Amino acid sequence: MKLLIARPMTAAVEARARAEFDVEVRSETLPMTHDEMLRALREFEVVVPTLGDQFSAQIFAEVPEPRCKLLANFGVGYNHIDVDAAHAAGVAVTNTPGAVTDATADIAMTLLLSTARRAGEGERLVRAGDWQGWHPTQMLGHHVTGKRVGIVGMGRIGQAIARRCHFGFGMRVSYQSRSRKDLDFPAEYFSDLTALAARVDFLVLAVPGGAETRHLIDAGVLEAMNPSGILINIARGEVINEAALIAALQAGQIAGAGLDVYEFEPAVPQALRNMENVTLLPHLGTATEEVRTDMGHMALDNVAAFVAGRPLSNPV
Ligand code: NAP
């Protein structure tokens, strides 16, 4: 069984992979090229791809009888893989849910607090040597404790964010999801996204990417938000129409945004980079040693199940 891992992994994960499998670990940190994906499907039984590796229907069409039987994705989001085309080609797909939940919720709170309290702008001021001292009206931001938060996509990460907002910051939680949830904290369900956007101070996105959620946040939703409203995205960049977001920020329709992901990642529009009221992170959601190791083990557990002929732990 030949295994290809598409990026360097933490030392613990690489050590396990080398001990348990006949593995090739790609040394590049950039996404796989078209030719690399074709080789992966032709020459390896199992591939561990990740964000940016575009296993599209076209790629599967170019390898009609792939040697590969499993794409054990590293990450919970798998919108870069055409799962229907994979299944049609006889390739199973797994992901790494759960391992990423708390770390990603923590980054959502980092963005929410940083944007509301102007932490990035303040840090830049201090670093530039331009701070002239405290005064009662210096850099006034938006109060967070007790405010209203709206979660779009009340799944694992959405609920972890909601818990932090409710228990940590006494916030009133509202949400929108495809289905109503049975939760152990108070939360108001909205079936209508625009109504939710109009209701809250912070709108936080935690839905999966893909065709169904592309541009879920468009000019209409942004227009419905309060002028003091702040939009937070830890989901996938394509969930927001980025041009519409820039227009809304430039027009002062909303007060700010905190973004971990971008529509054309890793490209971040200059217009966003110019705005002080926008917090920009380089897709840090799961970026801790422990979490990346847990994700790697989860992906390798799926590989091990496949090799042993056991049911896959996290099929999608
Ligand atoms: P999850 O448990 O599957 O939750 C996704 C939620 O989105 C579910 O509650 C689902 O509703 C809801 N949803 C799906 N389609 C929707 C739609 N069209 N409109 C409204 N709600 C919709 O997934 P998760 O583990 O929380 O992860 C969520 C996403 O976060 C991942 O897919 C990934 O793309 C992203 N993520 C980003 C980072 C990062 O580094 N920034 C890290 C991890 C994950 P139902 O429950 O009603 O079906």
Side-chain angles (χ1 to χ4, degrees):
M1 199 287 295
K2 282 181 71 185
L3 168 67
L4 175 68
I5 298 184
R7 303 286 187 286
M9 293 278 149
T10 63
V13 173
E14 283 201 17
R16 174 179 167 194
R18 290 188 198 287
E20 291 185 21
F21 308 107
D22 176 7
V23 65
E24 178 178 317
V25 181
R26 191 167 159 269
S27 58
E28 279 278 315
T29 55
L30 292 175
M32 299 170 86
T33 64
H34 181 98
D35 286 350
E36 283 178 311
M37 286 186 286
L38 295 182
R39 175 177 170 254
L41 292 181
R42 285 184 182 128
E43 295 185 15
F44 295 84
E45 271 82 15
V46 180
V47 179
V48 174
T50 193
L51 187 90
D53 298 331
Q54 300 294 337
F55 279 91
S56 61
Q58 172 66 31
I59 296 288
F60 290 106
E62 288 182 48
V63 188
E65 287 183 6
R67 178 169 171 179
C68 179
K69 295 287 173 262
L70 172 65
L71 293 181
N73 188 57
F74 178 88
V76 65
Y78 52 84
N79 53 310
H80 51 282
I81 300 171
D82 188 321
V83 175
D84 290 341
H87 287 166
V91 182
V93 181
T94 57
N95 69 342
T96 62
V100 304
T101 301
D102 285 325
T104 311
D106 290 348
I107 278 291
M109 297 312 293
T110 305
L111 285 170
L112 191 155
L113 290 163
S114 294
T115 311
R117 300 302 304 275
R118 303 172 63 175
E121 186 184 351
E123 220 248 359
R124 286 187 286 279
L125 181 82
V126 174
R127 275 185 194 278
D130 290 339
W131 184 39
Q132 298 188 340
W134 188 96
H135 65 84
T137 57
Q138 183 211 0
M139 286 198 70
L140 303 183
H142 299 259
H143 196 58
V144 172
T145 297
K147 290 292 182 67
R148 288 185 188 279
V149 64
I151 312 283
V152 183
M154 197 63 142
R156 286 172 294 252
I157 297 171
Q159 289 180 36
I161 297 166
R163 297 183 71 81
R164 283 157 174 74
C165 289
H166 171 72
F167 293 108
F169 294 90
M171 296 173 85
R172 282 168 289 178
V173 176
S174 306
Y175 71 99
Q176 195 247 346
S177 247
R178 289 178 300 192
S179 58
R180 202 183 277 263
K181 305 292 172 197
D182 189 15
L183 303 163
D184 62 355
F185 52 87
E188 187 183 7
Y189 177 71
F190 281 72
S191 56
D192 182 54
L193 176 56
T194 309
L196 176 72
R199 175 84 165 142
V200 299
D201 302 297
F202 299 95
L203 192 66
V204 183
L205 310 181
V207 289
E212 208 188 308
T213 56
R214 185 171 178 273
H215 289 188
L216 195 64
I217 304 301
D218 57 11
V221 174
L222 291 162
E223 207 171 305
M225 287 178 70
N226 296 305
S228 60
I230 289 175
L231 180 68
I232 305 297
N233 189 13
I234 55 81
R236 283 288 181 264
E238 71 214 33
V239 176
I240 299 180
N241 179 339
E242 214 163 65
L245 172 63
I246 291 167
L249 285 161
Q250 285 173 338
Q253 251 171 35
I254 67 172
L259 309 173
D260 192 39
V261 287
Y262 305 89
E263 188 167 1
F264 305 105
E265 204 168 309
V268 179
Q270 187 64 45
L272 288 176
R273 285 151 56 195
N274 290 344
M275 292 180 199
E276 287 288 12
N277 55 341
V278 176
T279 308
L280 303 168
L281 294 182
H283 205 141
L284 291 183
T286 60
T288 74
E289 172 90 19
E290 297 96 312
V291 172
R292 291 283 164 83
T293 294
D294 287 351
M295 291 165 69
H297 281 308
M298 211 165 186
L300 292 182
D301 288 345
N302 281 293
V303 178
F306 168 81
V307 171
R310 295 193 309 267
L312 300 169
S313 347
N314 311 101
V316 298

